[in-house]
Amino acid sequence: MLQQTWTSRCLMKFYAVVAASPASWESHKIAERIEQRILNSNPVMEAFGNACTLRNNNSSRFGKFIQLQLNRAQQMTGAAVQTYLLEKTRVACQASSERNFHIFYQICKGASEDERLQWHLPEGAAFSWLPNPERSLEEDCFEVTREAMLHLGIDTPTQNNIFKVRRKATPLMFGRDDG
């Protein structure tokens, strides 16, 4: 778990305990559900927004702002998470010893044979936008990302649409590297 994820969890837990009324078990449960939804967003954001760079195997290429929402009694009733991609150019270009966003490697390593067919990913294909595929990282766990997406309400058909490689994509981004 990333340091920022752990810090966010500790701060949310602290606020939930301090702000919750000792007599209100329901407000404690609501705070726990909100905390879990926020934490479930982390594997998804890390897959789609983190990359292996020269300095860090799991470098965040996105920003995240969490706003906790409180009622008049200062009990947590909701949260809004704003995310933004910091480095869009990484999709098309990386430094020679860096990797693209984790999600691309997760898909190539974790997709079943049926999913590969459905998503137009040939087995063993080398793509120009996936440099250094031999670097296997802990962050390459596709099932963790898919499970987190389900917990956030992104159903399997929607996931399939997200993971599908479009046939009309530009050669720069999705062309095979027959090198």
Side-chain angles (χ1 to χ4, degrees), residues 106-127:
Q106 289 180 0
I107 291 170
C108 286
K109 291 179 181 180
S112 69
E113 190 174 326
D114 289 341
E115 289 168 335
R116 287 180 163 284
L117 288 172
Q118 183 181 357
W119 301 339
H120 311 293
L121 277 174
E123 184 69 41
F127 295 94

Side-chain angles (χ1 to χ4, degrees), residues 15 26 43 46 49 54-55 70 79-80 86 95 115 139-140 157 161 169:
Y15 190 79
E26 182 62 29
E46 288 178 14
L54 294 173
R55 295 185 182 149
L70 311 171
L86 298 172
E115 289 168 335
E139 292 80 12
D140 289 343
N161 284 329

Side-chain angles (χ1 to χ4, degrees), residues 4 45 48-50 59-64 82-91 101:
Q4 66 194 40
M45 286 306 303
F48 285 89
N50 285 13
S59 180
S60 294
R61 312 320 305 154
F62 69 95
K64 185 175 181 179
Q82 298 289 322
T83 56
Y84 45 94
L85 194 58
L86 298 172
E87 197 175 341
K88 296 175 187 173
T89 57
R90 173 166 292 282
V91 173
F101 291 108

Side-chain angles (χ1 to χ4, degrees), residues 33-44 143-156 159:
R33 282 196 304 270
I34 294 166
E35 174 191 354
Q36 193 56 52
R37 295 264 316 186
I38 293 169
L39 293 174
N40 280 337
S41 72
N42 283 322
V44 177
E143 284 308 311
V144 171
T145 300
R146 294 196 75 179
E147 188 67 28
M149 292 174 85
L150 286 173
H151 286 199
L152 292 171
I154 304 171
D155 61 18
T156 301
Q159 287 182 29

